[in-house]
Amino acid sequence: MAETLAPLSEAEIEAALQEVPGWRREGDEITRSYGIRYHGGVAMIVHVADVERLIGHHADIDLRWDTIRFGITTHDAGHRLTAADFDLARRIDAIATVHEAQPCG
Ligand SMILES: C[C@H](O)[C@H](O)[C@H]1CNC2=NC(N)=NC(=O)C2=N1
């Protein structure tokens, strides 16, 4: 786990972003929003939380009537981006597919 908590360099961040199309960098976090109805979003959050507990890495989650937004950074690395953030992003994308969450801007 230690290797995934080393802050990434700018070049590593740019390369990692290519691997998670749909995610945007906002400062030292990566974010993505999906269109999903509120109760569907609740079910998706339960699924995401199970995976987060498994991997020991957690996103900030903003649930609204018809959208859900995830923001990920690594607190233990001083709120910098690490490989753990991109790993969680990939897992959230897979979960979103299961819940038919629609990618949105
Ligand atoms: C002890 C526990 O595993 C650590 O505090 C984990 C929990 N979840 C985490 N989530 C995120 N996003 N960043 C962290 O540094 C982090 N650390």
Side-chain angles (χ1 to χ4, degrees):
M1 186 63 180
E3 72 288 344
T4 57
L5 292 186
L8 297 176
S9 68
E10 287 302 311
E12 288 170 328
I13 291 170
E14 288 313 310
L17 281 168
Q18 304 306 312
E19 303 298 313
V20 285
W23 288 78
R24 276 202 307 268
R25 181 186 183 178
E26 289 181 9
D28 282 323
E29 75 169 14
I30 52 173
T31 70
R32 186 169 194 181
S33 294
Y34 293 90
I36 191 168
R37 276 277 184 264
Y38 192 87
H39 292 88
V42 171
M44 181 177 169
I45 289 172
V46 169
H47 193 163
V48 169
D50 281 347
V51 169
E52 290 176 331
R53 183 173 45 237
L54 195 71
I55 65 173
H57 207 64
H58 304 77
D60 296 336
I61 302 174
D62 181 335
L63 176 64
R64 302 188 183 201
W65 165 241
D66 59 359
T67 57
I68 188 167
R69 178 189 180 277
F70 297 92
I72 317 172
T73 187
T74 299
H75 313 137
D76 294 348
H79 290 82
R80 302 279 301 283
L81 284 168
T82 69
D85 302 319
F86 291 91
D87 172 64
L88 177 53
R90 276 189 293 278
R91 293 172 189 265
I92 289 171
D93 283 345
I95 292 168
T97 302
V98 169
H99 292 265
E100 296 179 340
Q102 302 304 311
C104 61

